[in-house]
Structures are given as structure tokens and as C-alpha cells.
Amino acid sequence: MPPLSRRLFLGTASAAFLAAGTGTAAAAAVSDSIRRRARQWTFENDSLKATVTYERGGIQLTQLRNKRAGRDYLSAPSLLFAHELDGGDTVRADDEGWRLGATSTEVITVRTQQKSWRVGERVRIPLRRTTPRHFAVTLVFEIYDGDAGLRYCTLVRNEDPSSDLTLTRSTILDLCLPDEPHTLHYVPNMKWFSTRGSLSTEPVGKSWPKKALTVYDTGDGWSMSPELNWKTQRGNGNYSNDYMLPPFAGINAWHEQETVSVDTHPESLQLTLFPGEEFEYLAVNLTVFKGDVVDGKMADELHFRKRFKYHSTTTLFHQNDWDYRGGPGHELPPGYYYDVVIPQSKRAGLDMVMLDDYWNTTRDTIEPSDSMKKSITSLATLSKSLKDVNLGFGVWFSLTGGGHLQGRDLADPAQLAHKRRQIESLINDYGVTQHMIDLTEYWQNEQTTAYSHAGDNVYRKAVLTRTMLNDLVTKNPQYLPKLTSELDIAPTQGDRNNGLLHIAYNGWNTSNGGITGEDLSLRTALTAFGHLPMNSTYMNGGKMTGRMEDYYSYMAVRAVKFPEDPGDATKWPDAAVELMGVFNAWRRRPEITALTDGQFLPVYLGQGWDTAQGDSSKGPYVWMWADAPRRTALLIATAAGTAQTTVDAKVRWLKDRTTYAVTDITIDDDGTQAQAAKGEFTGRQLRAEGLPVDLSENTSKGKAFWLEAI
């Protein structure tokens, strides 16, 4: 289908486009974050204030205020949605045809096995109309507490009892944001680009922009992050493997229009609603900030932590058997996990042992194969043995039950319910704590079924799968889902990736993104900062090198895979394993995890990292964590294989007027940990002049510093 111009879709004049039309969640007491006055709702936290107004049958966003910058970014009331129905009539949020229903609010919480706490509040605003179709839209706004942003999505409902209704194309959001002097940063894949001009919906290379972060020359700005897939698989193997459709939507920032919008790609998504059906539509996250691009990315990181309900985010180190056991026909000696894998993992202080692909009789069962039983006996025996030594248990487990582009159609709720029962058995019967979801699960079924159509089959897979995983995490907070970068398309592209739509609560992803190929290194993870949350990052190259330069680098991400055979003394040398044990014992000390369970704070992520011309291949790399009152911090610096050894690490996250005593607490490669005072610095000095770091002072180029307020 040729693209429909925005002028044809949204009207023939911007004046007409801008003209103002002048569910039942458990109710909670409305807090200061959501306030209603007549038919107006205001959402407010420490960073932003947004207002939605319903009048004369239409609803609009009428304020988006950056509180710290003291400015409202909306030059006029802005559009909250527009849908083309069945390729004909277009209905808009501001077209005066909507009846307002009863709204509801609820508190958004994060739950662990020990406690739960509030992170925000949600309101649902239902609207209905009868012409040109019986159609309902429920606006869902989530405002997150403190320094965070606003998430907005809709639920769309076909209220016709007998006919399907297709949203052939949609504008998800269209904001009258000022096109003033600015630098616009955007992400087609993983690498960041920038422009002083506009951003079109055209691809950059082979990828489409999925995020826009604008820094005005006045030193403030906004960020727009739609929750999208990476690309969209066409067919289930009946097309060439390199054929990929765009993500479900794209961003247009002032390109041949006066606004910034998120619009669907109809070739990838045309949602067909069955009679009486309601379904979730695409979401957009909005944040505002004062400062530079790093402050903008940090605003998103703070928002993502609450939106995706992250907790207990100290890096998880896991032993993975793919490199020495994975693949059909491979077999380990009897009892190998009990004699080698588990004892070595425990000795190294790892957190988990994981069975990768081909452990089960088929990819569709949770029964170990005969060859696997020789080395583990049974899942029950392995589970008990791991629990006895306080190691977690992880498994690779396909949701489709097949290989790439094969197996169960996850757009079918009945198929997904079957896989859910299997996952619940893995959790409840065998204590599985981490679940790897791999292969091209989101292939396209081009046949019309009782549950999907060709235009929405892939989208339904993504939404229903994430909904299921989020529900499992909510009910089982110890469950950690991981979705790999092979999910969207058959693995023929060197730069395949994930999108925000694939992030489940408190889970993580593998991200390739064309940065370092299949080597999912520290560079790849750090490039994701502000785009894919750092709490979702992953490294696949954990090794027993005996070099603290490497060991410290593993602390930056959410999970590290150690794939080499622990029974191979050349890969797991005794001294290196012993050092890893010393390092992990230190890493688990309560005063350390109290910080590393918190928010990742960047300090220096490679040469030019805080500019539009950064080179992530040139280190070193420095980051930190700090407690809420900013009185204690842990700073890590590593060359991570690069040649650079010195940097004045400028710390922007501490209090300017507070003086901090800095102590070098580095563990050296021989396992010793001497404490050396490095001096006293005010927060203002650390921001402006930096902390001098010389990585050549140790036998390998990695360091740790403790900062304490005096």
C-alpha cells in the first residue's frame, strides 16, 4: 500500500488540524499526581505537569509543562489520536463526536517477594461514539512519581455487535511542540544520530527512527519514546529471509508538518477488531528535562525504571551451557552438572545455572531429553541441587514450541494459555527463576483466523506475550523473563535488535544493534543508555580471565552470560575462578548491593559520549550508583579492553555543596583490596573538574572508588 500523506490523513490545513473541539479498575484515593476538575485532568510529578481537557465532545492535551525549565511546550491544544476506519472515515479525538464515560484511577505498584511500593498512578478516560461507527476509545494515562514521565496509550473497542472494524492507519499522538533552535537526537537501531533540523519517517540505513530526544538551545527539552518492536516479520518462511517490514509505527518531528507525531506504518500494522472486541493500542512515553542530552537520557532512564517496575537490579552472573552442550546430538558425561557445573559455579560465586536450547525432548515440552537426563537426572533433582547451594535455575524455553518461524501462533490466546501453564509449572514445580525466550517467535500468520488477521497478527503476538509475562512477574516477582534480539525476524541480519515493546516487567533483552555484532559487549550495552533501559542490558561474553578490568566491566549491565565450559581448565583457570569468587563475595556485601540495586548513573561512557560525535570504541568507561540522599556512592572505572588509561571523570549526580571523601577500594588481580585515600572533593569540583582516574596504577585497567559525604 502506498503511504498516505499526513495532509490527506489529518486534513488540508494545519488550522483545521489544530482546531479545538471548542473500564473499571479498583478506585484509589486520588493523590496529588492526578487531579480532576470538572472535565479536566492534570497529571503532575517533580518534572512535568500535563493537562487533558474534554469539552464539546472532544478531548485534547492542553498543557505539557517542563516544571524545572518553567515553560509549557504546547503552542496549541494537541491531538491525542486519529484513526482511519476501514480505509474510509477518520475519527479524531477533537472532532466533537465523543461521549465521556465514567473515569477511574488506580495506584501503580511494584511488588517483590518481601514488599510492595507505589511508583505512580493511572487514570482511564473512556469515550464512545456512534457515527460513523459504533466505536470506543479509552485513554490511559500513567504518571510516575518523582523524577519521571508520563506514559499514554489507548484501548480501542469495536462496539458493533456484528461487523469487524479495521484501524487501517492511525496517529497515536500529535503534539504542537515548538520548532525552535534545537538539536534533535534519534535512534534508528542502537547508535544515536542527531540533527539540527527535522526528522522524517524515512529509514536510516535499514532501520527506522524509534525515539526522538530534543535539546533546545535554551538548555531544556523533551523526549518521546513510543513502545515499538524493532522490525516486523512478513510470513512464516514463505518470503525471503531478509524481507522485513518497518516497526509498527514511526516518528515525524516537524518534517513537512508543524508538529511532532507518532504514526502507524500501515504495511506493518492494521488492527482489525472483532465484534465487541477491545484491544490495547500503541503506547508513548513522554519526559521533559533541564540540561543537556545526558540529562535528557537520564530523565528517560529514571522513567523507565518505574514504568518497567525494575527492582533488585544488581548484575546477575549466570553459567550457560550452550557453547559446550547446546545443539542436537551433543551430550555431556553422566552427572556433569553435579560434578562440575554446579561446584565450579558456586566456587566462582555466580548467581545462576542455566540450561540453554535442546535440553527438552522437543522445544514444545518441559521434559528433559534422554541425553539430558544422563547429566541432570531430572529437572526436580537439578532444581533441588541448585537450591541447596543457593544458586538460581534458568532455562531456555520457546513460547511457540518450534524453531524460527514455526510452531504455535502466539496471537491465539488459547495457545498462549497453554504455554503459560508450562511456564507456571517450571516456576512452581522446579523453581525456575529466569526464562530465556528466543528464536523468531513473532512470525506472521497471513491467514484470517478467529483471533487475528494478517495485518495485526504480529502485533497481537507482541502485545499478548508481554501482557502474559507482566502478569507472571506480578504474581511471581522472582521470575525474570529475557527476550532475545531474534524475536522479531529470522536471524539473518547482523544488527537485529529489540524495542521497548519487548521489555517485560523487571526483565531484560539481548541487544545487537550493529554496534559490536554478536559480541554483546559493554560497548553495546552502554550505547543503549537512554534508549533501551540500562536495567534491561545484557552481556554474553563473561569469562574467567583473572583480570579485574573485565570483572568490573560486568557490573554495568543487568545480566552476564558465562558460556565457557567450567570443566575446561584452560577456560576456567584456578586463579581466575578464585578471583571471581573474591569479587562476587565483595559484590554481594549489603553496603554494595544497597547501591547496585539502584539506578545506573553514567559518568564517562567513552570518548565524546556526551556529544553527538561520541566514539564508544575509545574508553575508558566510568559509571556509578548513589543512595537517594546522595551521601554515598560507588564508582567503577574500566578500560574494558581499550587502550585508554586516564580520565578526569566528571560526576554530575552528586550535591554541589557537599564534600565527599574519595577512597580507592580496588580489588587487584591477586585478590587483595587495599584502601587508599584519594582526597576530598566537593560535588561542584567533581562535576566541573572531575575525579582523576589512572587505570595504570593496577595490574589490569579496572578500578572501584567509594565516595562518602563528610
Side-chain angles (χ1 to χ4, degrees):
M1 175 189 297
L4 184 67
S5 74
R6 287 195 38 81
R7 181 171 293 275
L8 288 173
F9 177 35
L10 291 179
T12 57
S14 59
F17 165 70
L18 294 174
T22 329
T24 57
V30 177
S31 73
D32 287 341
S33 60
I34 298 178
R35 299 188 299 277
R36 180 177 181 180
R37 181 179 180 183
R39 295 181 172 183
Q40 185 176 84
W41 296 262
T42 298
F43 316 107
E44 185 171 5
N45 59 19
D46 291 350
S47 300
L48 64 79
K49 184 176 182 181
T51 302
V52 170
T53 303
Y54 173 89
E55 60 182 359
R56 296 191 295 274
I59 193 165
Q60 297 176 326
L61 186 68
T62 52
Q63 177 182 220
L64 181 62
R65 184 173 183 80
N66 183 332
K67 293 173 65 174
R68 290 194 172 91
R71 62 181 296 197
D72 181 0
Y73 287 129
L74 296 187
S75 59
S78 293
L79 185 71
L80 286 166
F81 63 81
H83 301 300
E84 180 186 84
L85 306 180
D86 292 328
D89 295 305
T90 295
V91 296
R92 298 162 48 97
D94 59 358
D95 68 6
E96 304 185 7
W98 302 94
R99 290 181 293 107
L100 179 66
T103 63
S104 61
T105 62
E106 62 183 328
V107 171
I108 304 170
T109 60
V110 175
R111 175 176 173 262
T112 69
Q113 289 180 297
Q114 293 77 33
K115 61 181 181 179
S116 64
W117 62 94
R118 170 194 163 114
V119 292
E121 195 168 5
R122 177 186 299 115
V123 64
R124 291 181 171 90
I125 306 172
L127 304 169
R128 284 184 168 82
R129 68 187 305 136
T130 56
T131 58
R133 298 289 299 270
H134 290 270
F135 182 51
V137 178
T138 298
L139 286 66
V140 182
F141 293 94
E142 296 173 353
I143 182 72
Y144 290 87
D145 297 337
D147 286 313
L150 180 71
R151 178 179 184 261
Y152 163 69
C153 72
T154 59
L155 307 175
V156 289
R157 180 180 178 86
N158 175 14
E159 301 208 310
D160 190 312
S162 58
S163 300
D164 291 350
L165 176 64
T166 299
L167 280 59
T168 43
R169 64 182 66 234
S170 299
T171 288
I172 305 302
L173 189 64
D174 199 323
L175 302 183
C176 301
L177 297 166
D179 186 7
E180 298 173 357
H182 65 269
T183 301
L184 191 156
H185 304 266
Y186 60 99
V187 186
N189 197 350
M190 286 281 282
K191 184 178 179 181
W192 286 82
F193 294 80
S194 65
T195 177
R196 291 287 292 178
S198 62
L199 177 66
S200 77
T201 57
E202 294 301 309
V204 178
K206 294 184 177 181
S207 294
W208 284 258
K210 301 174 183 67
K211 181 187 185 80
L213 190 159
T214 292
V215 185
Y216 292 109
D217 291 0
T218 50
D220 57 277
W222 52 264
S223 179
M224 179 182 287
S225 303
E227 295 182 11
L228 302 173
N229 59 334
W230 181 55
K231 297 181 183 177
T232 308
Q233 179 67 43
R234 184 181 182 189
N236 63 333
N238 53 326
Y239 294 90
S240 59
N241 284 342
D242 61 354
Y243 187 89
M244 295 173 291
L245 295 170
F248 299 134
I251 297 179
N252 182 323
W254 307 302
H255 178 71
E256 299 181 353
Q257 62 182 44
E258 298 177 356
T259 57
V260 179
S261 63
V262 177
D263 307 283
T264 59
H265 290 301
E267 62 269 44
S268 298
L269 173 60
Q270 296 189 44
L271 178 60
T272 298
L273 298 167
F274 294 98
E277 182 187 22
E278 181 176 75
F279 205 79
E280 177 184 332
Y281 217 35
L282 294 167
V284 180
N285 297 274
L286 296 170
T287 60
V288 298
F289 58 91
K290 186 175 181 180
D292 61 11
V293 63
V294 175
D295 294 300
K297 292 178 180 180
M298 193 72 241
D300 279 323
E301 289 285 347
L302 293 171
H303 172 75
F304 289 152
R305 184 171 178 91
K306 295 171 182 176
R307 182 266 172 272
F308 293 109
K309 301 191 177 185
Y310 289 114
H311 62 84
S312 308
T313 50
T314 295
T315 311
L316 186 146
F317 290 9
H318 66 277
Q319 217 291 307
N320 180 290
D321 62 8
W322 175 255
D323 282 5
Y324 58 93
R325 196 274 310 159
H330 292 197
E331 188 174 301
L332 292 174
Y336 196 72
Y337 290 84
Y338 308 108
D339 298 336
V340 177
V341 176
I342 293 175
Q344 283 283 76
S345 297
K346 186 64 179 176
R347 182 179 168 220
L350 303 189
D351 302 289
M352 188 181 76
V353 169
M354 180 179 167
L355 307 181
D356 213 309
D357 193 7
Y358 291 112
W359 64 269
N360 38 1
T361 55
T362 72
R363 285 176 167 146
D364 204 28
T365 76
I366 57 173
E367 175 65 24
S369 65
D370 289 341
S371 62
M372 199 72 197
K373 288 178 181 177
K374 294 178 182 178
S375 55
I376 69 167
T377 306
S378 68
L379 289 185
T381 302
L382 181 62
S383 174
K384 182 179 185 306
S385 298
L386 291 169
K387 185 176 181 180
D388 286 347
V389 295
N390 200 31
L391 283 170
F393 183 14
V395 296
W396 184 104
F397 183 61
S398 169
L399 292 182
T400 67
H404 290 288
L405 310 173
Q406 298 173 357
R408 299 173 185 269
D409 185 347
L410 299 180
D412 183 353
Q415 299 287 5
L416 207 56
H418 170 74
K419 301 311 291 187
R420 176 179 179 135
R421 289 190 292 270
Q422 290 180 306
I423 297 169
E424 288 174 331
S425 181
L426 290 170
I427 295 171
N428 297 326
D429 299 340
Y430 303 113
V432 166
T433 52
Q434 200 264 318
H435 173 198
M436 176 179 174
I437 302 167
D438 197 18
L439 304 180
T440 314
E441 309 263 344
Y442 296 164
W443 50 266
Q444 182 192 32
N445 182 355
E446 297 180 280
Q447 306 302 311
T448 298
T449 68
Y451 52 82
S452 75
H453 294 72
D456 62 32
N457 177 261
V458 179
Y459 177 69
R460 287 175 181 270
K461 285 176 163 67
V463 171
L464 293 176
T465 299
R466 187 180 70 177
T467 299
M468 179 194 73
L469 295 175
N470 285 347
D471 189 55
L472 284 168
V473 172
T474 300
K475 294 175 179 176
N476 306 275
Q478 76 280 12
Y479 172 64
L480 301 170
K482 166 195 166 185
L483 281 67
T484 78
S485 57
E486 294 185 356
L487 210 67
D488 279 341
I489 63 165
T492 58
Q493 307 300 312
D495 62 349
R496 60 182 183 267
N497 208 353
N498 297 94
L500 291 178
L501 185 55
H502 300 328
I503 298 177
Y505 290 160
N506 202 37
W508 63 84
N509 303 80
T510 63
S511 299
N512 182 323
I515 303 299
T516 52
E518 290 298 317
D519 174 22
L520 306 183
S521 69
L522 178 63
R523 278 185 57 209
T524 304
L526 296 180
T527 304
F529 174 72
H531 167 40
L532 297 175
M534 284 302 297
N535 287 139
S536 74
T537 54
Y538 172 88
M539 292 172 65
N540 68 355
K543 295 181 179 180
M544 300 293 167
T545 65
R547 295 165 52 86
M548 288 305 302
E549 173 181 351
D550 302 319
Y551 292 4
Y552 279 132
S553 74
Y554 303 151
M555 294 181 69
V557 300
R558 182 66 187 283
V560 179
K561 167 184 171 182
F562 288 79
E564 296 181 326
D565 185 355
D568 184 342
T570 66
K571 302 291 180 61
W572 280 53
D574 283 344
V577 175
E578 183 177 349
L579 179 63
M580 179 62 76
V582 170
F583 169 60
N584 280 323
W586 168 80
R587 228 172 38 96
R588 290 203 192 86
R589 289 168 54 175
E591 67 271 25
I592 302 299
T593 58
L595 297 178
T596 56
D597 274 344
Q599 179 66 53
F600 173 95
L601 301 169
V603 177
Y604 185 89
L605 305 185
Q607 181 176 293
W609 75 285
D610 54 353
T611 71
Q613 292 77 39
D615 183 354
S616 65
S617 69
K618 296 178 181 178
Y621 311 98
V622 188
W623 64 92
M624 60 182 280
W625 300 268
D627 62 357
R630 295 297 194 259
R631 296 194 60 80
T632 303
L634 171 66
L635 185 144
I636 301 294
T638 176
T642 65
Q644 291 76 20
T645 59
T646 61
V647 63
D648 290 328
K650 296 181 178 179
V651 180
R652 60 171 73 201
W653 312 115
L654 298 176
K655 292 185 175 181
D656 283 354
R657 297 182 180 180
T658 299
T659 298
Y660 296 88
V662 180
T663 305
D664 185 335
I665 59 168
T666 301
I667 301 172
D668 214 335
D669 292 352
D670 62 2
T672 60
Q673 186 179 28
Q675 296 191 8
K678 303 299 288 185
E680 297 178 359
F681 307 82
T682 66
R684 183 177 290 109
Q685 285 178 294
L686 291 171
R687 175 190 291 266
E689 302 168 18
L691 174 68
V693 176
D694 184 354
L695 298 175
S696 68
E697 294 175 345
N698 295 83
T699 53
S700 69
K701 295 177 286 185
K703 273 188 172 294
F705 299 90
W706 189 260
L707 287 73
E708 190 78 37
I710 298 175

Short mmCIF file of all heavy atoms in Angstrom, two decimals, residues 15 18 26 32 57 85 102 180 218 251 296 390 413 434 484 487 493 517 521-522 573 618 667 671 692:
data_model
loop_
_atom_site.label_atom_id
_atom_site.label_comp_id
_atom_site.label_asym_id
_atom_site.label_seq_id
_atom_site.Cartn_x
_atom_site.Cartn_y
_atom_site.Cartn_z
N ALA A 15 -4.63 24.65 10.43
CA ALA A 15 -5.63 25.29 11.28
C ALA A 15 -6.75 24.33 11.61
O ALA A 15 -7.22 24.25 12.75
CB ALA A 15 -6.17 26.54 10.60
N LEU A 18 -5.49 21.74 14.08
CA LEU A 18 -5.29 22.20 15.45
C LEU A 18 -6.58 22.65 16.13
O LEU A 18 -6.59 22.89 17.33
CB LEU A 18 -4.30 23.37 15.46
CG LEU A 18 -2.87 23.04 15.05
CD1 LEU A 18 -2.05 24.31 14.95
CD2 LEU A 18 -2.25 22.09 16.04
N ALA A 26 -9.90 -0.89 40.11
CA ALA A 26 -10.24 -0.62 41.50
C ALA A 26 -9.87 0.82 41.82
O ALA A 26 -8.75 1.26 41.64
CB ALA A 26 -9.47 -1.58 42.41
N ASP A 32 -1.96 13.76 44.73
CA ASP A 32 -1.57 14.99 44.06
C ASP A 32 -1.08 14.74 42.64
O ASP A 32 -0.92 15.68 41.87
CB ASP A 32 -0.48 15.71 44.86
CG ASP A 32 -1.03 16.34 46.13
OD1 ASP A 32 -2.26 16.51 46.19
OD2 ASP A 32 -0.24 16.63 47.04
N GLY A 57 -17.55 17.58 23.26
CA GLY A 57 -17.44 16.31 22.56
C GLY A 57 -16.07 15.95 22.05
O GLY A 57 -15.91 14.96 21.33
N LEU A 85 -10.86 4.47 9.75
CA LEU A 85 -11.64 3.26 9.96
C LEU A 85 -12.00 2.62 8.63
O LEU A 85 -12.62 3.26 7.77
CB LEU A 85 -12.92 3.58 10.75
CG LEU A 85 -12.72 4.31 12.08
CD1 LEU A 85 -14.07 4.56 12.74
CD2 LEU A 85 -11.79 3.56 13.00
N ALA A 102 -17.54 7.17 32.58
CA ALA A 102 -17.06 7.28 33.96
C ALA A 102 -15.58 6.93 34.02
O ALA A 102 -15.16 5.85 33.60
CB ALA A 102 -17.86 6.35 34.86
N GLU A 180 11.85 25.36 17.64
CA GLU A 180 12.81 26.42 17.93
C GLU A 180 14.22 25.86 17.78
O GLU A 180 14.39 24.65 17.65
CB GLU A 180 12.57 26.95 19.35
CG GLU A 180 11.20 27.57 19.54
CD GLU A 180 10.91 27.93 20.99
OE1 GLU A 180 11.78 27.64 21.85
OE2 GLU A 180 9.83 28.48 21.26
N THR A 218 18.07 26.63 24.55
CA THR A 218 17.83 27.26 25.85
C THR A 218 18.21 26.36 27.02
O THR A 218 18.09 26.75 28.17
CB THR A 218 16.34 27.64 25.97
OG1 THR A 218 15.52 26.51 25.62
CG2 THR A 218 16.01 28.80 25.04
N ILE A 251 8.19 7.99 13.95
CA ILE A 251 8.14 9.35 14.47
C ILE A 251 8.39 10.35 13.35
O ILE A 251 9.29 10.16 12.53
CB ILE A 251 9.19 9.56 15.58
CG1 ILE A 251 8.90 8.64 16.78
CG2 ILE A 251 9.22 11.01 16.05
CD1 ILE A 251 9.91 8.78 17.90
N GLY A 296 18.75 14.57 29.41
CA GLY A 296 17.56 14.05 28.74
C GLY A 296 17.50 12.54 28.77
O GLY A 296 16.44 11.96 29.04
N ASN A 390 22.16 -22.49 46.97
CA ASN A 390 21.74 -21.10 46.79
C ASN A 390 22.08 -20.55 45.41
O ASN A 390 22.48 -19.39 45.27
CB ASN A 390 22.36 -20.20 47.87
CG ASN A 390 21.61 -18.89 48.03
OD1 ASN A 390 20.40 -18.83 47.82
ND2 ASN A 390 22.32 -17.84 48.39
N PRO A 413 -5.00 -16.65 21.93
CA PRO A 413 -4.99 -16.70 23.40
C PRO A 413 -4.97 -18.12 23.94
O PRO A 413 -4.38 -18.36 25.00
CB PRO A 413 -6.28 -15.97 23.78
CG PRO A 413 -6.55 -15.04 22.63
CD PRO A 413 -6.10 -15.80 21.41
N GLN A 434 14.72 -17.78 35.96
CA GLN A 434 14.99 -16.99 34.76
C GLN A 434 14.59 -17.77 33.52
O GLN A 434 14.85 -18.97 33.41
CB GLN A 434 16.47 -16.61 34.68
CG GLN A 434 16.74 -15.44 33.76
CD GLN A 434 17.15 -15.84 32.36
OE1 GLN A 434 17.92 -16.76 32.18
NE2 GLN A 434 16.62 -15.15 31.37
N THR A 484 15.09 -12.33 23.50
CA THR A 484 16.31 -12.09 22.73
C THR A 484 16.04 -11.27 21.48
O THR A 484 14.90 -11.09 21.04
CB THR A 484 17.00 -13.40 22.32
OG1 THR A 484 16.31 -13.97 21.19
CG2 THR A 484 17.03 -14.39 23.47
N LEU A 487 13.79 -12.23 18.23
CA LEU A 487 12.36 -12.41 18.40
C LEU A 487 11.55 -11.98 17.18
O LEU A 487 10.63 -12.66 16.75
CB LEU A 487 11.90 -11.61 19.62
CG LEU A 487 10.70 -12.16 20.37
CD1 LEU A 487 11.03 -13.45 21.04
CD2 LEU A 487 10.23 -11.14 21.40
N GLN A 493 20.16 -11.02 10.01
CA GLN A 493 20.69 -9.67 9.99
C GLN A 493 21.71 -9.49 11.12
O GLN A 493 21.47 -9.88 12.25
CB GLN A 493 19.55 -8.66 10.16
CG GLN A 493 18.42 -8.84 9.17
CD GLN A 493 18.89 -8.68 7.74
OE1 GLN A 493 19.58 -7.74 7.43
NE2 GLN A 493 18.50 -9.60 6.87
N GLY A 517 28.31 -6.41 16.69
CA GLY A 517 27.93 -7.70 16.13
C GLY A 517 27.39 -8.64 17.19
O GLY A 517 26.69 -8.23 18.11
N SER A 521 28.84 -6.77 23.97
CA SER A 521 29.85 -6.31 24.91
C SER A 521 29.37 -5.13 25.73
O SER A 521 28.25 -4.64 25.58
CB SER A 521 31.11 -5.91 24.14
OG SER A 521 30.85 -4.72 23.40
N LEU A 522 30.29 -4.62 26.55
CA LEU A 522 29.99 -3.43 27.34
C LEU A 522 29.66 -2.25 26.44
O LEU A 522 28.76 -1.47 26.73
CB LEU A 522 31.17 -3.10 28.25
CG LEU A 522 31.03 -1.85 29.12
CD1 LEU A 522 29.89 -2.00 30.11
CD2 LEU A 522 32.33 -1.55 29.85
N PRO A 573 40.64 -21.18 34.57
CA PRO A 573 41.85 -21.43 35.37
C PRO A 573 41.60 -21.18 36.86
O PRO A 573 40.81 -20.30 37.22
CB PRO A 573 42.87 -20.44 34.81
CG PRO A 573 42.17 -19.62 33.81
CD PRO A 573 40.78 -20.08 33.64
N LYS A 618 36.38 3.96 22.08
CA LYS A 618 37.51 4.52 22.80
C LYS A 618 37.10 4.82 24.23
O LYS A 618 36.33 5.74 24.49
CB LYS A 618 38.03 5.78 22.10
CG LYS A 618 38.57 5.49 20.70
CD LYS A 618 39.04 6.75 20.00
CE LYS A 618 39.57 6.43 18.60
NZ LYS A 618 40.00 7.65 17.88
N ILE A 667 39.90 -3.94 43.99
CA ILE A 667 40.44 -5.29 44.14
C ILE A 667 41.45 -5.50 43.03
O ILE A 667 41.13 -5.33 41.85
CB ILE A 667 39.33 -6.36 44.04
CG1 ILE A 667 38.27 -6.14 45.11
CG2 ILE A 667 39.92 -7.77 44.12
CD1 ILE A 667 37.05 -7.03 44.96
N GLY A 671 43.71 -10.52 44.08
CA GLY A 671 42.66 -10.70 45.07
C GLY A 671 42.77 -9.81 46.27
O GLY A 671 41.88 -9.82 47.14
N PRO A 692 40.18 12.51 39.13
CA PRO A 692 41.29 11.96 38.34
C PRO A 692 41.36 10.43 38.51
O PRO A 692 41.45 9.93 39.63
CB PRO A 692 42.53 12.63 38.92
CG PRO A 692 42.02 13.80 39.70
CD PRO A 692 40.65 13.42 40.18
#
